[in-house]
Amino acid sequence: MSRIGKKPVPVPAGVKVSIGKGSLTIEGPKGKLDLKVPHQVSTVWSEGSREVEVSLTDGYTPDDKAANALWGTTRAHIRNMIDGVTKGFERRMEVVGVGWTAAVTGNSLKMTLGFANPIIMPVPAGLTVKVDKQIVSVSGPDKQLVGQFASAMRSKRKPEPYNGKGVKYVEEVIVRKQGKQFGA
């Protein structure tokens, strides 16, 4: 039995929940998110207690590992969606390198990372990207989309261990290497 899946998800005031056939929509002050619910899992919205309950559909038991995993995962996705439409998610990235910059131009992020041409990344709908000197802040209601865009930014020029240059998460610690010794 899924320890996470069996807990109901509390829904704060100001958040609307609507459940359709195989889908769930959550709308709040920061935006609107949709989730396609797997057929092994069913969701029930209780207006009185303001909770979303997630359970296995008929025909699936907690002994079924795949259904059990989807049960807990669906509950975690719903919890993240509620957090996203109320508080939002944010990832902060740092561009480290002499002359390396990042700037928002229109609906895209332009990064100069030491290559011959600048790297231009279109910002997905629903995300907000702000640049303050070397710090790039990616925020939005969808946790998966925020993390995916931040990861795509990092993949353009991963931090290297000798000089520490690259695009990294602000909280990330880069273990530095010494490099070669000459003359000794």
Side-chain angles (χ1 to χ4, degrees), residues 1-7 54-56 60-65 67-73:
M1 184 154 210
S2 176
R3 288 183 287 172
I4 293 175
K6 66 182 175 183
K7 295 179 188 175
V54 182
S55 62
L56 292 174
Y60 293 99
T61 64
D63 298 330
D64 185 4
K65 287 188 176 190
N68 207 18
L70 286 172
W71 184 13
T73 302

Side-chain angles (χ1 to χ4, degrees), residues 98-140:
V98 176
W100 293 12
T101 61
V104 177
T105 56
N107 196 21
S108 60
L109 176 67
K110 180 181 176 184
M111 296 187 295
T112 306
L113 301 176
F115 296 118
N117 298 317
I119 296 170
I120 298 174
M121 295 179 63
V123 178
L127 288 187
T128 305
V129 178
K130 296 178 185 168
V131 178
D132 182 34
K133 296 184 182 176
Q134 298 299 98
I135 306 294
V136 179
S137 176
V138 180
S139 59

Side-chain angles (χ1 to χ4, degrees), residues 10 27 36 42-43 64 83 103-104 123 153 158 182:
E27 190 172 356
K36 184 179 177 195
S42 65
T43 55
D64 185 4
D83 285 347
V104 177
V123 178
M153 275 181 60
K158 291 182 181 175
F182 291 104

